[in-house]
Every structure is written in structure tokens, then in C-alpha cells.
Amino acid sequence: MKIFDWIKKKKEPEKQTEEGNTSIVESDILDIEIKMPQTENTENSTAETINDSKQQKEQKQSKEKEQQHDAAIRLYSCRKNTSIIPSVFEKAFSEECKKLDFVNDSEFVLTLNDDTFLKIRIITNKQETMVQAYGMANFFSKAPVKNQVLKENILQQMKLFNCIISIQFILNSDEKRTNSIIKNVYITAKALTAFVLVPTMEVFHYDGRLLINTEGQSAFDTFHPIASADFLDKEIKPTEADIQRKQNSIEILKSKKIPYLEELRAAVFDAETTLQSKEIILQRLIATYATAVQAEIYVSGKYDNPEQKMKEQIDLLNEKYHVSEYFSPKEKEYIDHPPVKEPKLFNSYAWRYECCAVFLWALSLLDLKEPNQICEAVELGNIIWNHDFDSLSKAAKLRSKEEILSLQDLTLRYNWACVDARINNKTIESLDFGVIYERHYALNWLLTVDGISDWDTVTTTT
């Protein structure tokens, strides 16, 4: 897919009239020259010629107007410093731009040499960007991409976007002008480490290659989520404890002969973490456990009426823990409307037992198995079913933030090794990819990594 394909609209010449006159398209490109005919009725001839010329010009302008329409492109990026965006646009369009005018702090207008405009709006509101980023990821999750690892990484990239730049301009029949605008948009995108969404719902890398479209096509065989340098550079500097934590993780990886990336930064430092409270962790534990139980009931084949069996389980969990009060929006939809036509969704929730194991570990109620071993659902159930909220709370003792941070940092690096192995069609015997992903998800929620405490929007970027 070429980056200009979506804007190229070839126009077929209109047919000639019965009288054999020049077609409208041809007349559009004629240079009209007014001449003074050498006749006796000079004034009348001149007036008629001027009128004809005026009509032809009006006809040309009308035709050009019909060929114009609004165009919109959006750039999606991961960055903290948005103050440079106007100057980046001004530099990219330096040869075509007359001036730059600010509408307000988040909007500005570039006036081009042909007196047309580019209207640019910068969107950084966290709620708005998250809704759009996750909406984009959800939209493209339906694309039939054959390489599932590639697709997973592309969707993860979309969920990282925290800065959206809307670009609106008039598209006309001047192909040279259009190509110049698009070229400069990509120059801007590269400078901002931004991805380009065009109206045909195709996403392009800033180097012009197709990242993904609705048909599941991509110019990439492998792709790692990326962010701009200013997004990656943390405002909070690591302490000695943060540096030592990373080194300890690397020593463990070395001892287990697990590949690692020395440059991989910690996802979070001690100073920027907020550890969830014991009560909130207990609530999340019970809600997550219920979703995994439902998955097991429906896929095990043990029950003739899985819906009734699950209702009984929810009733018991409500009696002991008031579980229905703790479900996230996605969990509530899943519990209320079991996805019997989507068995893969049941499988993803069945893996949530691993999150429960992490929560019980954080509460000092369970020891975690080796990272290549699946937890025992029966062992989790023995703890949960033999308590109610009050007794479980009394039995639980929340581990220190440092201990949880250490496991999170190690799991981050385990997850990087898993992703790298999948991309390169390798296996790591000492790691179970599913176990590691769920542990990473639960630990990031426990520490509110990236400031995210909403269970449905946790990220596991490596």
C-alpha cells in the first residue's frame, strides 16, 4: 500500500457534446485570452468576448469547487512534550507556509502559499486520548492479521498513544499540492515519532510503510511498540534502590539463561508507584476469581446447565464477599452475558487464575510457583471458599512495596523475553508465556503502573 493511494482519485474526461465542442475538462485547462476583434461593432464584440470569458472562468471555478472536499488526517504519538509540535509543523512546511497563527493553546492554523489552510488541533486530555486509543485498538483487533504476535504488538502500540494531532485541510485536484502536503505530514510524523491514520482507516508508520489496515495487511513482519524519547525519559530519576532492583533482575535472568535487554528501562520507579490497599486487592481478587470460575464452568463440559451452576457460584460469592459490587465494566458484561459463541474469550478469562495467584501472594496467603508452572485452581479455591471478606482480610498481610516492585521488574523482563521468543519462533523452557503475561498484568495493576488503576485498561508494555 502506497501512502498516497487513498488521495488519488482519477477523473475520467467527460464526453464531448453532440456539436463536437471541446469537453468541459479540456476547457478547464485552457488559458483564456481576450482579444479585440477587428470589426465595426467593436464594443459589442468586446462585451460578448468578456462575457464569454467570464462565464468560462465561473465555470472553471465552479468545477474546481466541486472537485474540492475536506480531508482529515490524524497523527498518534506517545509524548510528554507537546510544546514543540507547532514549530515542527512550521519547519516541515517551511517552503509552502506563509504564516502560523495560534487559535488557542491547543489549536493553530498554517496558511499555505495558495492561501489555503491546515487547521491543526492537539489533543492530550488523558480521558479523551485513552478512549480514542483503545477505540482504535478495539477497531483493528477485528482485522484478520495472520501473524498474531505482530497484531498483538500493533494493538499494544495503539494503547500507548497519549497525544493525538488532528490535521484538516481542503483536498483539490492539484495533485502536486496534495503530494506536497502529505509528504510534509510524514516529515512531521517522523519528527514526532507519530503514526498516521488516514480516512480509509489505514495506519501508516512514520516511514511511510503500512502498519495495518482493516483487511489485516501490513508491510511489517515484526514490530515492537515504540514511543518518542521524551515519553520514555522519566521525569523522576531512579534511586539507588531502583538501579539495584534492575540489576538484581538481570542477575536472575543470567542465572536462568533467559535472554534480556540491558537497555530495557524499569516500567515504574519506587517514587512514582501507588500500591493498592489491602481492601481493594481483596475486592479485585474475588472479582477476578469469579470470572475465572465462570470460564472453567463453561469450558469444562462437566455441567449440563452451566448458566445455573454459575448463578449458584455468584450467589455464594455474594454471600461471602459481595462480589457483584466489584466487577469492572468488562467483567460485568462477561458475567451477565457469557460469551458462548466466543470460546476464546472464555480461555482468556480462565488464565485469570494466574492473576489471583499474584494477589494471594501479595497478601502473603500463597507462595508463587516457578514462572513456567501454572497455578493450582484448587489451591486458590481452598483459600477463598474457606473464608469470608472479614476473615480473609484478617488473615492477609500485605507485602512491602519493595518486594512487589522487585517481582514486577523481574516479570517485566520475563515478559520481554517471552515476546522476543514468540517473534523469533523460539521457546524458553523456564517460562510459560501465559503465566508471565497474567502475572505482569496483575503486578502492573497492584502498583498502578502508568497511573492506571482501572482493571480493564491495564497495559503490559515491554
Side-chain angles (χ1 to χ4, degrees), residues 370-392:
E370 290 297 315
N372 62 348
Q373 296 177 2
I374 296 173
C375 70
E376 297 289 342
V378 173
E379 192 175 4
L380 308 181
N382 286 338
I383 297 172
I384 291 171
W385 291 114
N386 288 312
H387 283 281
D388 59 18
F389 199 97
D390 289 340
S391 66
L392 193 60

Tab-separated table of all heavy atoms in Angstrom, residues 370-392:
chain	number	residue	atom	x	y	z
A	370	GLU	N	7.075	-21.665	40.210
A	370	GLU	CA	8.089	-21.231	39.257
A	370	GLU	C	7.399	-20.600	38.046
A	370	GLU	O	6.248	-20.946	37.732
A	370	GLU	CB	8.957	-22.411	38.817
A	370	GLU	CG	9.883	-22.940	39.902
A	370	GLU	CD	10.899	-21.897	40.340
A	370	GLU	OE1	11.493	-21.229	39.458
A	370	GLU	OE2	11.083	-21.739	41.558
A	371	PRO	N	8.066	-19.685	37.355
A	371	PRO	CA	7.406	-18.962	36.256
A	371	PRO	C	7.074	-19.811	35.030
A	371	PRO	O	6.544	-19.280	34.055
A	371	PRO	CB	8.408	-17.859	35.907
A	371	PRO	CG	9.722	-18.356	36.388
A	371	PRO	CD	9.428	-19.176	37.602
A	372	ASN	N	7.373	-21.085	35.056
A	372	ASN	CA	6.965	-21.975	33.962
A	372	ASN	C	5.889	-22.960	34.423
A	372	ASN	O	5.567	-23.911	33.716
A	372	ASN	CB	8.153	-22.728	33.378
A	372	ASN	CG	8.823	-23.635	34.390
A	372	ASN	OD1	8.555	-23.556	35.596
A	372	ASN	ND2	9.710	-24.503	33.921
A	373	GLN	N	5.328	-22.719	35.615
A	373	GLN	CA	4.327	-23.627	36.165
A	373	GLN	C	3.000	-22.904	36.369
A	373	GLN	O	2.951	-21.813	36.947
A	373	GLN	CB	4.804	-24.217	37.506
A	373	GLN	CG	6.046	-25.082	37.389
A	373	GLN	CD	6.523	-25.583	38.737
A	373	GLN	OE1	5.904	-25.320	39.772
A	373	GLN	NE2	7.629	-26.305	38.736
A	374	ILE	N	1.928	-23.560	35.932
A	374	ILE	CA	0.591	-22.988	36.092
A	374	ILE	C	0.124	-23.185	37.526
A	374	ILE	O	0.390	-24.219	38.147
A	374	ILE	CB	-0.382	-23.669	35.107
A	374	ILE	CG1	0.041	-23.367	33.664
A	374	ILE	CG2	-1.810	-23.208	35.335
A	374	ILE	CD1	-0.748	-24.124	32.616
A	375	CYS	N	-0.567	-22.198	38.050
A	375	CYS	CA	-1.042	-22.294	39.429
A	375	CYS	C	-2.149	-23.348	39.552
A	375	CYS	O	-2.746	-23.751	38.546
A	375	CYS	CB	-1.551	-20.944	39.918
A	375	CYS	SG	-3.089	-20.413	39.129
A	376	GLU	N	-2.433	-23.783	40.768
A	376	GLU	CA	-3.475	-24.772	41.024
A	376	GLU	C	-4.758	-24.050	41.413
A	376	GLU	O	-4.841	-23.424	42.473
A	376	GLU	CB	-3.043	-25.717	42.146
A	376	GLU	CG	-1.813	-26.546	41.835
A	376	GLU	CD	-2.086	-27.627	40.800
A	376	GLU	OE1	-3.273	-27.950	40.588
A	376	GLU	OE2	-1.122	-28.142	40.211
A	377	ALA	N	-5.777	-24.180	40.563
A	377	ALA	CA	-7.047	-23.517	40.847
A	377	ALA	C	-7.659	-24.034	42.144
A	377	ALA	O	-8.285	-23.268	42.900
A	377	ALA	CB	-8.023	-23.731	39.689
A	378	VAL	N	-7.465	-25.311	42.432
A	378	VAL	CA	-7.999	-25.900	43.668
A	378	VAL	C	-7.365	-25.233	44.886
A	378	VAL	O	-8.040	-24.950	45.886
A	378	VAL	CB	-7.757	-27.419	43.694
A	378	VAL	CG1	-8.161	-27.997	45.051
A	378	VAL	CG2	-8.533	-28.103	42.581
A	379	GLU	N	-6.082	-24.946	44.796
A	379	GLU	CA	-5.363	-24.310	45.905
A	379	GLU	C	-5.908	-22.900	46.155
A	379	GLU	O	-6.068	-22.479	47.314
A	379	GLU	CB	-3.868	-24.257	45.579
A	379	GLU	CG	-2.994	-23.889	46.751
A	379	GLU	CD	-1.520	-23.972	46.430
A	379	GLU	OE1	-1.177	-24.246	45.249
A	379	GLU	OE2	-0.709	-23.756	47.346
A	380	LEU	N	-6.206	-22.190	45.075
A	380	LEU	CA	-6.796	-20.857	45.221
A	380	LEU	C	-8.183	-20.959	45.854
A	380	LEU	O	-8.534	-20.187	46.756
A	380	LEU	CB	-6.923	-20.169	43.855
A	380	LEU	CG	-5.690	-20.093	42.947
A	380	LEU	CD1	-6.037	-19.354	41.669
A	380	LEU	CD2	-4.525	-19.424	43.649
A	381	GLY	N	-8.956	-21.926	45.366
A	381	GLY	CA	-10.316	-22.104	45.866
A	381	GLY	C	-10.362	-22.465	47.337
A	381	GLY	O	-11.256	-22.016	48.070
A	382	ASN	N	-9.412	-23.275	47.780
A	382	ASN	CA	-9.369	-23.659	49.189
A	382	ASN	C	-9.235	-22.439	50.098
A	382	ASN	O	-9.778	-22.412	51.207
A	382	ASN	CB	-8.224	-24.632	49.453
A	382	ASN	CG	-8.515	-26.017	48.927
A	382	ASN	OD1	-9.678	-26.381	48.723
A	382	ASN	ND2	-7.470	-26.799	48.695
A	383	ILE	N	-8.500	-21.463	49.640
A	383	ILE	CA	-8.326	-20.231	50.434
A	383	ILE	C	-9.596	-19.392	50.387
A	383	ILE	O	-10.113	-18.948	51.414
A	383	ILE	CB	-7.119	-19.420	49.915
A	383	ILE	CG1	-5.831	-20.216	50.072
A	383	ILE	CG2	-7.034	-18.081	50.655
A	383	ILE	CD1	-4.628	-19.569	49.408
A	384	ILE	N	-10.117	-19.188	49.180
A	384	ILE	CA	-11.242	-18.262	49.002
A	384	ILE	C	-12.542	-18.804	49.589
A	384	ILE	O	-13.272	-18.097	50.289
A	384	ILE	CB	-11.399	-17.913	47.510
A	384	ILE	CG1	-10.200	-17.062	47.062
A	384	ILE	CG2	-12.717	-17.169	47.242
A	384	ILE	CD1	-10.109	-16.830	45.572
A	385	TRP	N	-12.827	-20.087	49.318
A	385	TRP	CA	-14.101	-20.640	49.775
A	385	TRP	C	-14.140	-20.887	51.283
A	385	TRP	O	-15.228	-20.997	51.865
A	385	TRP	CB	-14.426	-21.933	49.031
A	385	TRP	CG	-14.756	-21.708	47.583
A	385	TRP	CD1	-14.039	-22.118	46.511
A	385	TRP	CD2	-15.902	-21.031	47.055
A	385	TRP	NE1	-14.640	-21.738	45.334
A	385	TRP	CE2	-15.790	-21.065	45.636
A	385	TRP	CE3	-17.000	-20.380	47.623
A	385	TRP	CZ2	-16.731	-20.489	44.802
A	385	TRP	CZ3	-17.947	-19.810	46.786
A	385	TRP	CH2	-17.811	-19.858	45.392
A	386	ASN	N	-12.994	-20.990	51.914
A	386	ASN	CA	-12.960	-21.238	53.359
A	386	ASN	C	-12.881	-19.958	54.180
A	386	ASN	O	-12.573	-19.993	55.373
A	386	ASN	CB	-11.775	-22.146	53.717
A	386	ASN	CG	-12.018	-23.575	53.263
A	386	ASN	OD1	-13.083	-24.138	53.508
A	386	ASN	ND2	-11.043	-24.152	52.581
A	387	HIS	N	-13.143	-18.838	53.538
A	387	HIS	CA	-13.146	-17.548	54.231
A	387	HIS	C	-14.349	-16.728	53.788
A	387	HIS	O	-15.021	-17.053	52.798
A	387	HIS	CB	-11.871	-16.761	53.915
A	387	HIS	CG	-10.660	-17.228	54.656
A	387	HIS	ND1	-10.411	-16.902	55.962
A	387	HIS	CD2	-9.613	-18.004	54.245
A	387	HIS	CE1	-9.267	-17.429	56.346
A	387	HIS	NE2	-8.763	-18.116	55.323
A	388	ASP	N	-14.614	-15.653	54.500
A	388	ASP	CA	-15.454	-14.581	54.000
A	388	ASP	C	-14.584	-13.331	53.967
A	388	ASP	O	-13.369	-13.410	54.269
A	388	ASP	CB	-16.712	-14.383	54.851
A	388	ASP	CG	-16.394	-14.050	56.310
A	388	ASP	OD1	-15.238	-13.634	56.608
A	388	ASP	OD2	-17.283	-14.197	57.162
A	389	PHE	N	-15.159	-12.183	53.617
A	389	PHE	CA	-14.328	-10.992	53.447
A	389	PHE	C	-13.583	-10.628	54.732
A	389	PHE	O	-12.384	-10.353	54.712
A	389	PHE	CB	-15.185	-9.805	52.984
A	389	PHE	CG	-14.382	-8.699	52.369
A	389	PHE	CD1	-14.251	-8.591	51.002
A	389	PHE	CD2	-13.727	-7.768	53.162
A	389	PHE	CE1	-13.495	-7.578	50.425
A	389	PHE	CE2	-12.968	-6.741	52.604
A	389	PHE	CZ	-12.852	-6.662	51.224
A	390	ASP	N	-14.278	-10.661	55.853
A	390	ASP	CA	-13.662	-10.249	57.119
A	390	ASP	C	-12.536	-11.184	57.533
A	390	ASP	O	-11.444	-10.738	57.916
A	390	ASP	CB	-14.719	-10.176	58.227
A	390	ASP	CG	-15.666	-9.006	58.034
A	390	ASP	OD1	-15.280	-8.063	57.306
A	390	ASP	OD2	-16.785	-9.039	58.575
A	391	SER	N	-12.788	-12.499	57.470
A	391	SER	CA	-11.764	-13.453	57.914
A	391	SER	C	-10.565	-13.467	56.972
A	391	SER	O	-9.422	-13.604	57.409
A	391	SER	CB	-12.359	-14.862	58.031
A	391	SER	OG	-12.750	-15.360	56.767
A	392	LEU	N	-10.824	-13.297	55.658
A	392	LEU	CA	-9.707	-13.265	54.699
A	392	LEU	C	-8.876	-12.011	54.913
A	392	LEU	O	-7.639	-12.042	54.819
A	392	LEU	CB	-10.250	-13.321	53.272
A	392	LEU	CG	-9.220	-13.598	52.165
A	392	LEU	CD1	-8.536	-14.943	52.380
A	392	LEU	CD2	-9.881	-13.566	50.793
